[in-house]
Amino acid sequence: ACFPAVRPATEKESAIFDAAVGTYPMIRAKATEVSSRAVPNGTEYLFVAKDVPMNPDMEIPEHFIKVYVLAEEGKDPVFTQVLR
């Protein structure tokens, strides 16, 4: 099944995104929009996230990435794909 249209990410969904990518050093982004679909044993999310500079004083051009996250029941959420 395809993902439905994206919508603004809720606080709870943003927390799922942060948990999935939080310790990975190559992804520094903030979830802005999301789409989700049911999968066996959980939910798969497609997040649209805005890149965040490594140094808060650094200005970078606005850039968004897409991050797929799998949240299975009883397991920590994990990202499965990043599209830059």
Side-chain angles (χ1 to χ4, degrees):
C2 294
F3 281 97
V6 294
R7 56 183 163 62
T10 66
E11 221 174 276
K12 181 179 178 182
E13 290 163 334
S14 292
I16 291 169
F17 175 84
D18 291 344
V21 303
T23 60
Y24 190 74
M26 299 305 291
I27 301 176
R28 296 192 45 87
K30 177 174 176 27
T32 59
E33 296 178 309
V34 66
S35 181
S36 61
R37 63 183 176 186
V39 295
N41 302 320
T43 304
E44 184 178 28
Y45 296 91
L46 169 55
F47 286 97
V48 176
K50 183 178 178 181
D51 271 339
V52 176
M54 294 187 104
N55 178 341
D57 297 329
M58 188 170 86
E59 288 191 33
I60 62 172
E62 188 170 75
H63 184 259
F64 291 87
I65 60 173
K66 292 182 179 179
V67 181
Y68 291 82
V69 172
L70 181 60
E72 292 182 300
E73 293 176 23
K75 297 181 179 179
D76 291 336
V78 293
F79 72 90
T80 58
Q81 185 177 11
V82 177
L83 303 174
R84 294 198 173 266

